[in-house]
Amino acid sequence: KSRPVFSSMYCVNNVRRKWKELEKSLGYAEGLPSLGGDPDWASYTLGVFICLSCSGIHRNIPQVSKVKSIRLDAWDEAQVEFMASHGNDAARAKFESKVPSFYYRPTLSDCQLLREQWIRAKYERQEFIYPEKQEPYSAGYREGFLWKRGRDNGQFLSRKFVLTEREGALKYFNRNDAKEPKAVMKIEHLNATFQPAKIGHPHGLQVTYLKDNSTRNIFIYHEDGKEIVDWFNALRAARFHYLQVAFPGASDADLVPKLSRNYLKEGYMEKTGPKQTEGFRKRWFTMDDRRLMYFKDPLDAFARGEVFIGSKESGYTVLRGLPPSTQGHHWPHGITIVTPDRKFLFACETESDQREWVAAFQKAVDRPMLPQEYAVEAHFKHKP
C-alpha cells in the first residue's frame, strides 16, 4: 500500500509507525464496502478514510469535511494524530448510531443523489445522532408538492402528494382544492426506484403500483435533493411498517430487502406476438422481480404487456436463440422463454445484451416460487 506524503516537520520513522497503526485500525472506508471504492482519500476533520467517489461529495460540505489525498498531499503531525485517534469504525459508531432500519444505505451502483444525501444526512445534518431530525420520513404522514410527468403529453406539472400510513396509501391530487385524489396507490403494492437517466432529471424517481393487477408507472422529481430522498425513505418507512403488521414474526433483516427494489434489468429488445408469424417490434423491457413488462416508450404509464416468469419447477425455461423457423427479427441475438402456456420470443441487438437478459431471466427461473407468487401467477393477465 502506498505511503502518504507528510510535511518535513514530521519525521519519517514516526510516519511509518503511525501509518501502520492507522492501517490496523482503519475500519472500512466511506465507500467500503458499502460504496465499494479504494480509500485513497481522507477527511482530516472527520477522521475518516474515503474513496474517490465520496471525496467529491465531502468537498461539497467544506464546513464539515476537509479532504486530502493520502498519497499526494502533505500532512502534518496533528492531522495524522487526529486520524489515528478517530478512524472509520469510531465515526460509524458516532454518526450512524441511530439509522432507522428502513433508511436506504446506498451502494456504489446507486445514483449520485442517494450517495450525496446519505453523506449529508450523516455528517452535515447528523440525522442519525438526533432521531428528532428523522421526522420528515418517519412520522407516518407526509404531504407536499412534486413535479409529476403527465401521462399523455409528457409535461411535468406540480401535483400535491399525500402519504398516509394510517390509510396505507400514497395519493396525488390534480388540483390543490380537489376533494378526491386522482390516484390512490396502496403501500402494499408500491415500489420506488431512482431513475435519473430515464426521467432526464438527477432527482428523478419512478413509482410503480398495481392497478387492476397491472403495473402503473408514475415519474416524479423535486428540485431539492433532500426532499425527494426524504419522500423515498418515507415510502420505505411506510412499507416497513405495513410489512411488520403483515408478517409479525419476521425480523427487520427479512423485511428490509422488500421495502424497495431496483429493476433486475431494463433495455430494448424486439418481440413478436403469440402466433409468432407477425414481425418483431422494438420495445422497452423492464424486469421487475418476476414481472417482465414491455412498453412502447420507457416513460409510458402502462405496460403494453406483462409476462410472468416462474421457476423451473413450475415449467419455465430460458433458452439462448430462437426456433429455427423464426423470421422477421432485425436483431441477431435471440432468447426464448418457455412457459407452461406458450413460448415468448425476443431478439437483442448485441451479444452482451443477450447475455445480461438471459442471466436476469435465469435468476428468476432458478429461484423457487413463494406461496404468494403462485397467486400472482394465477391472476396474471398477459396482454399479447
Side-chain angles (χ1 to χ4, degrees), residues 266-277:
E266 282 196 293
Y268 284 105
M269 289 192 291
E270 293 181 329
K271 70 166 287 294
T272 186
K275 296 189 176 66
Q276 296 162 15
T277 51

Side-chain angles (χ1 to χ4, degrees), residues 179-205:
K179 296 276 193 294
E180 295 300 318
K182 174 71 174 167
V184 177
M185 300 161 250
K186 287 302 204 182
I187 295 298
E188 178 184 0
H189 301 301
L190 188 138
N191 184 46
T193 174
F194 279 97
Q195 296 278 357
K198 184 159 68 169
I199 293 170
H201 192 284
H203 304 165
L205 186 69

Side-chain angles (χ1 to χ4, degrees), residues 137-273:
Y137 45 82
S138 59
Y141 181 89
R142 184 179 173 89
E143 67 173 70
F145 287 88
L146 296 167
W147 293 98
K148 178 192 168 290
R149 187 179 190 274
R151 190 176 94 184
D152 300 320
N153 61 13
Q155 282 186 310
F156 280 89
L157 297 168
S158 180
R159 293 287 181 254
K160 181 183 176 183
F161 280 76
V162 175
L163 171 66
T164 162
E165 286 190 16
R166 189 170 55 80
E167 295 176 36
L170 173 68
K171 303 183 278 192
Y172 79 86
F173 299 81
N174 265 1
R175 295 193 321 276
N176 294 354
D177 59 352
K179 296 276 193 294
E180 295 300 318
K182 174 71 174 167
V184 177
M185 300 161 250
K186 287 302 204 182
I187 295 298
E188 178 184 0
H189 301 301
L190 188 138
N191 184 46
T193 174
F194 279 97
Q195 296 278 357
K198 184 159 68 169
I199 293 170
H201 192 284
H203 304 165
L205 186 69
Q206 179 172 349
V207 176
T208 60
Y209 62 101
L210 286 185
K211 185 174 182 181
D212 303 324
N213 206 42
S214 290
T215 303
R216 164 84 159 94
N217 297 318
I218 63 167
F219 302 96
I220 54 178
Y221 71 85
H222 195 287
E223 294 291 357
D224 185 301
K226 178 186 184 300
E227 282 288 311
I228 197 69
V229 173
D230 282 352
W231 271 103
F232 175 63
N233 280 301
L235 292 171
R236 284 176 56 89
R239 292 262 312 148
F240 184 58
H241 298 139
Y242 162 77
L243 290 169
Q244 282 181 316
V245 174
F247 304 98
S251 68
D252 288 3
D254 291 332
L255 298 181
V256 166
K258 297 180 171 66
L259 302 187
S260 63
R261 59 192 181 276
N262 294 326
Y263 300 132
L264 298 178
K265 171 87 179 137
E266 282 196 293
Y268 284 105
M269 289 192 291
E270 293 181 329
K271 70 166 287 294
T272 186

